[in-house]
Amino acid sequence: MKPIKKLSSRNTVLLGLITATLSLFTLSACVTNDVQTNNTRGNFEALWKIMDERYCFFNEKQVDWNAIHAKYAKQVNEGMTESQLFEVMTNMLAELKDGHVNLYTSFNIGRYWSWHEDYAQNFSDSLERKYIGKDYLIANGMTYTILDDNIGYLRCSTFQTTFGAGNLDEILFYLQPTRGLILDLRNNSGGNLTAAEALAARFTNKETLVGYMQHKTGIGHSDFSPLEEQHLKPGKGIRWQKPIVVLTNRSVYSAANEFVKYMKCFDGVTIVGDRTGGGAGMPFSSELPNGWGVRFSAAPMYDREKKTTEFGIDPDYKVNMTSEDFQKGKDTIIEYARTLLSK
């Protein structure tokens, strides 16, 4: 797959990061590791060392990784089963509270999902179906329609696919007669960063500084390259010129989190809903001596104010779905967005 070269940096982006995939389940790149003994202790130490040398958010999360080692190393012994070792390792990784950190085995995937599971969902499949009706259109995995108050509605539930320029032209052309657009990003957990760039590029008419990126340059917790600027160029083809409201919840993560970061830089864009889930570290991967895979955040990204978005991005208007509206068959967040666009 050829990259969509919308997002540029003033320095060379290492290891082809701009075309990397940000998702919860896809391994993105490989990092070699010193050979460790393939036994219980060796695999534990290999995992701890990989994270110690390559993970990028120790400082932001104020994690004492040496103390974490002391806590979990004493739980490891050679009489453990694979399942028991997996549990100890997964619990150790969970101390980082990072949805991009995973342990992959043939029998299970270690994951940390509390970044969205511990919060209100603020989305309903049944209400979404009610709003889009039966005659909605579908293109590249996105659904879209025109609501009865002449407001466009575009549902983007994933960035796992790459959006074709022709598809985006057709969608925006169809929605052009409307007064404004609701772009529902809720429950979008990420995918291909180039897809997020391609869609966001349709909402700006000028090249825009949207954030910064760094890369690991050494094994120290603070060993990073200087900040590299991220720029988004306008997309070719039809571009949206009317107000737009982007809907978010805690399950907006990874590449979708980056998309919200871009959109907050553009005129005429309002973010409504809940704080996003975060996930601002470009994921890399490595392997343990026993063949288990480990994924981790390795290249941190920041907003245009040089602030981390690893912990999520606040909306312009924080709105939660209410049980009263749900009983009435209304989506509180969509209705709030319609009110904004009606004004």
Side-chain angles (χ1 to χ4, degrees):
M1 180 183 68
K2 294 182 179 180
I4 302 174
K5 295 185 179 178
K6 300 289 184 183
L7 190 64
S8 62
S9 171
R10 292 189 176 179
N11 299 314
T12 301
V13 179
L14 302 180
L15 301 176
L17 285 174
I18 286 304
T19 60
T21 295
L22 281 171
S23 73
L24 293 179
F25 305 107
T26 306
L27 298 181
S28 306
C30 290
V31 174
T32 58
N33 183 51
D34 294 337
V35 176
Q36 300 281 346
T37 303
N38 185 13
N39 56 28
T40 302
R41 177 64 60 183
N43 283 292
F44 173 84
E45 295 296 340
L47 176 62
W48 183 87
K49 184 177 180 182
I50 288 170
M51 301 301 294
D52 181 58
E53 296 180 352
R54 300 297 176 180
Y55 184 68
C56 68
F57 288 126
F58 283 119
N59 293 333
E60 287 84 351
K61 299 193 175 182
Q62 299 182 345
V63 173
D64 185 339
W65 198 234
N66 288 319
I68 297 299
H69 179 276
K71 176 181 177 180
Y72 289 95
K74 61 186 179 184
Q75 300 178 28
V76 175
N77 63 77
E78 293 303 323
M80 301 176 74
T81 65
E82 283 194 333
S83 295
Q84 290 170 332
L85 178 61
F86 173 83
E87 181 178 357
V88 172
M89 288 180 166
T90 300
N91 289 340
M92 179 176 72
L93 294 178
E95 298 277 0
L96 299 171
K97 299 180 180 180
D98 190 330
H100 275 147
V101 173
N102 302 103
L103 185 62
Y104 296 88
T105 74
S106 61
F107 57 86
N108 202 355
I109 297 177
R111 67 272 184 188
Y112 178 83
W113 286 349
S114 293
W115 51 268
H116 71 89
E117 291 178 335
D118 290 348
Y119 299 85
Q121 187 175 8
N122 279 319
F123 180 77
S124 166
D125 291 322
S126 60
L127 288 183
E128 180 202 5
R129 290 192 295 270
K130 179 177 179 180
Y131 277 87
I132 64 174
K134 296 181 179 180
D135 298 324
Y136 60 88
L137 289 80
I138 305 174
N140 256 137
M142 293 189 289
T143 57
Y144 58 106
T145 190
I146 298 176
L147 304 179
D148 56 15
D149 54 357
N150 195 35
I151 289 175
Y153 177 83
L154 174 62
R155 171 81 176 126
C156 179
S157 60
T158 182
F159 286 123
Q160 291 287 359
T161 185
T162 298
F163 302 134
N167 296 117
L168 295 178
D169 284 342
E170 292 291 341
I171 292 171
L172 296 179
F173 180 79
Y174 179 83
L175 296 172
Q176 267 191 343
T178 63
R179 292 187 291 170
L181 175 64
I182 296 173
L183 199 166
D184 196 341
L185 201 67
R186 291 175 294 176
N187 283 20
N188 186 327
S189 60
N192 194 330
L193 187 58
T194 57
E197 296 163 13
L199 182 58
R202 295 304 184 105
F203 300 105
T204 181
N205 293 316
K206 60 184 179 181
E207 182 173 339
T208 304
L209 172 67
V210 294
Y212 297 85
M213 176 184 287
Q214 284 183 305
H215 308 289
K216 262 301 211 152
T217 57
I219 63 175
H221 291 185
S222 300
D223 292 343
F224 292 99
S225 66
L227 288 173
E228 300 174 0
E229 293 183 349
Q230 294 174 297
H231 290 262
L232 192 69
K233 295 181 179 179
K236 296 180 179 179
I238 296 176
R239 293 195 295 272
W240 188 256
Q241 307 296 326
K242 298 179 182 180
I244 176 173
V245 176
V246 179
L247 308 187
T248 59
N249 65 354
R250 286 292 301 187
S251 292
V252 172
Y253 194 75
S254 196
N257 188 73
E258 280 289 288
F259 178 83
V260 175
K261 184 181 85 173
Y262 305 155
M263 295 296 286
K264 285 183 74 71
C265 299
F266 304 151
D267 295 332
V269 178
T270 305
I271 313 298
V272 171
D274 201 357
R275 184 181 180 89
T276 63
M282 191 75 75
F284 274 45
S285 67
S286 189
E287 187 174 289
L288 304 184
N290 63 0
W292 292 359
V294 56
R295 187 179 71 155
F296 52 92
S297 299
M301 294 177 286
Y302 307 89
D303 66 15
R304 62 179 177 176
E305 306 299 329
K306 301 181 181 180
K307 296 178 181 178
T308 183
T309 57
E310 167 65 10
F311 305 105
I313 300 171
D314 285 324
D316 297 307
Y317 296 96
K318 190 177 188 313
V319 181
N320 292 318
M321 291 180 62
T322 68
S323 56
E324 293 80 9
D325 280 343
F326 183 82
Q327 294 300 322
K328 296 175 184 177
K330 294 183 178 181
D331 185 314
T332 312
I333 299 175
I334 290 179
E335 292 300 327
Y336 192 95
R338 294 174 81 171
T339 299
L340 289 177
L341 291 172
S342 295
K343 294 178 180 179

